Amino acid sequence: MAKVVGLVNLHSDVSYEGLTERRPVASVSFLGRYGIIDFVLSNMSNSNVDTVGVLIKEKPRSLFKHLGNGNSWNFNSKSGGVSLLYNEKCANNALYNHDVNNLIENIAFLQKAKADYVVIAPAHIITTMNYAEVVEAHAKSGAEITVVYQRINNANETFVGSDYLRLKGKQVTEIKQNKGNRKERNISLETYVVNAKVLLELLKYAKKISSFFDLKDTLAYLCDERRIMAYEYKGFARCIDSYESYYKVSMEFLDMDISTQVFKSTWPIFTNTNDTPPTKYLKNAQVKKSFVANGVIVDGDVEGSILSRNVVIGKNAVVKNCIILNGSHVSAGAHLENVIIDKDARIEKKKELVSVGEPLYVKEGDVV
């Protein structure tokens, strides 16, 4: 049986305004109780990939805290578990701080794993992808490298700035950036299966081409030199690549038809657990179409919103179309619409916060 190792690649230019000021995209709260990285880690776990390395680009503290020893994702620590791979040498130099240099610095992880194949996937693209199926197709094709893509008809609105593939049959002939000037594109999901020996070769080759080349640059450069195959993924996929898309996709999950495509009994989404009490709905509580995590206390009107753990909504407060992160307090009588509140913030003095268009952001720990 082939040995497969997973790499979660956090080396991207994605950021979410204030939400990523002190934390990486991967550990940003999502749907009240998850971190964004939970989805790709759950895919790894559900696909029976037991050895996983997380390529950390920056701000690792909250990620260390969230991941712990990795047991929450059911990885078998005896056969692998989760390794946090951080390149301190390049962390403060944007041009050198990329996935290729991270892997070179942590080359022992790949060498020790003795894998046949390596699955590489990002955190900011949410899917329910079965990597075992992709690896099987990759092995049957005889390819050295396989790129997973999805054919979409709204590439002028989503995945703008991501890569798309030009194909000849199932072979990748070119990888280009999606500039949003066409609706239909074969969008790369930045998920790759690479023969382990080939990946080690690519790391050396990338350094020869350019010290600033990352993995995406290298694959694009090699299209006419290596046999790179494409695998079409037809399942759920959302790209959370901006502050606006973070809010939009979060709100989209309030639709049962959307959320049930991801949260399935046959494909559990794992996260670390917290010892917090059940949610309390007090006398004045009215809650509609919302995600409410455990430990929340509600004594107001909540609609179309996401409340993370230990959030308090005061008496007769109105909260609509908001995302409120862990431990924040909304005082009695406040009126919030279209607002994202970072963790441990308090809405006390300025009680009327209504935003039109882009959601208003309240910083972590602020008193408003």
Side-chain angles (χ1 to χ4, degrees):
M1 185 175 178
K3 174 72 181 294
V4 181
V5 163
L7 290 172
V8 180
N9 191 356
L10 306 186
H11 285 272
S12 72
D13 295 327
V14 174
S15 63
Y16 307 149
E17 205 170 284
L19 287 166
T20 51
E21 183 178 340
R22 297 177 59 188
R23 59 175 77 93
V25 163
S27 58
V28 171
S29 176
F30 191 67
L31 303 182
R33 62 187 300 261
Y34 301 96
I36 287 176
I37 197 173
D38 292 344
F39 294 86
V40 64
L41 287 177
S42 296
N43 288 348
M44 295 284 183
S45 178
N46 291 326
S47 302
N48 296 317
V49 179
D50 280 332
T51 303
V52 177
V54 180
L55 299 176
I56 300 173
K57 178 183 179 182
E58 57 188 355
K59 306 165 190 170
R61 184 174 57 185
S62 65
L63 200 58
F64 291 159
K65 182 179 178 181
H66 180 72
L67 295 180
N69 58 13
N71 286 346
S72 297
W73 292 269
N74 288 346
F75 293 117
N76 187 338
S77 58
K78 290 184 178 180
S79 61
V82 176
S83 297
L84 304 177
L85 309 178
Y86 185 55
N87 186 0
E88 292 180 347
K89 186 169 66 175
C90 296
N92 295 317
N93 191 321
L95 291 173
Y96 286 93
N97 187 16
H98 51 70
D99 47 15
V100 169
N101 278 343
N102 193 331
L103 281 170
I104 290 172
E105 186 70 11
N106 292 283
I107 198 70
F109 170 80
L110 290 175
Q111 293 171 337
K112 188 177 179 180
K114 297 181 180 179
D116 299 295
Y117 305 108
V118 181
V119 175
I120 305 170
H124 69 277
I125 299 177
I126 291 180
T127 71
T128 55
M129 193 181 303
N130 188 334
Y131 301 131
E133 294 176 354
V134 187
V135 170
E136 183 180 3
H138 169 82
K140 286 182 178 178
S141 73
E144 296 178 322
I145 305 162
T146 294
V147 182
V148 182
Y149 75 96
Q150 185 168 72
R151 181 74 176 173
I152 66 173
N153 58 12
N154 61 342
N156 58 325
E157 299 174 354
T158 62
F159 289 94
V160 176
S162 296
D163 289 340
Y164 72 92
L165 312 180
R166 286 184 176 168
L167 304 175
K168 185 177 182 180
K170 292 185 177 181
Q171 186 165 345
V172 180
T173 60
E174 196 172 16
I175 301 175
K176 304 281 285 184
Q177 187 182 62
N178 174 32
K179 297 180 179 179
N181 52 0
R182 284 184 58 179
K183 289 186 176 181
E184 293 193 358
R185 290 289 193 196
N186 297 318
I187 293 293
S188 168
L189 298 180
E190 298 181 33
T191 300
Y192 317 108
V193 177
V194 187
N195 295 354
K197 290 181 180 178
V198 172
L199 179 58
L200 294 174
E201 293 172 11
L202 290 184
L203 297 179
K204 296 178 183 178
Y205 189 71
K207 291 290 288 183
K208 290 181 180 180
I209 303 170
S210 171
S211 295
F212 296 162
F213 259 33
D214 61 13
L215 186 59
K216 288 205 301 180
D217 294 329
T218 306
L219 293 179
Y221 189 86
L222 287 174
C223 280
D224 57 349
E225 296 183 22
R226 294 269 189 173
R227 187 165 179 260
I228 301 177
M229 301 301 288
Y231 176 92
E232 184 177 7
Y233 169 73
K234 297 182 179 180
F236 181 93
R238 293 293 186 276
C239 182
I240 309 179
D241 58 358
S242 66
Y243 178 74
E244 294 79 6
S245 62
Y246 169 78
Y247 180 78
K248 180 181 178 182
V249 173
S250 297
M251 293 296 110
E252 194 178 6
F253 267 79
L254 295 176
D255 184 337
M256 285 290 289
D257 291 336
I258 297 296
S259 60
T260 52
Q261 293 180 50
V262 175
F263 295 101
K264 299 175 286 190
S265 59
T266 56
W267 199 262
I269 306 300
F270 303 106
T271 190
N272 55 14
T273 57
N274 282 259
D275 187 14
T276 47
T279 304
K280 294 181 181 179
Y281 298 96
L282 304 183
K283 181 180 178 181
N284 300 289
Q286 296 287 334
V287 180
K288 301 175 184 176
K289 197 180 180 182
S290 297
F291 280 133
V292 182
N294 50 317
V296 172
I297 300 174
V298 182
D299 199 20
D301 189 346
V302 177
E303 183 176 349
S305 296
I306 297 168
L307 308 183
S308 299
R309 295 184 179 97
N310 299 320
V311 166
V312 176
I313 306 299
K315 182 178 179 180
N316 295 325
V318 176
V319 176
K320 292 185 178 181
N321 305 324
C322 294
I323 300 173
I324 304 180
L325 272 56
N326 294 15
S328 291
H329 287 232
V330 177
S331 64
H335 181 191
L336 277 56
E337 290 191 36
N338 204 29
V339 179
I340 297 177
I341 301 176
D342 212 328
K343 68 178 187 178
D344 297 324
R346 304 182 70 89
I347 309 302
E348 294 182 353
K349 306 295 189 299
K350 188 76 173 178
K351 294 187 177 183
E352 187 83 13
L353 299 178
V354 178
S355 178
V356 178
E358 182 179 297
L360 174 70
Y361 174 71
V362 177
K363 293 181 179 181
E364 178 182 348
D366 271 5
V367 178
V368 177

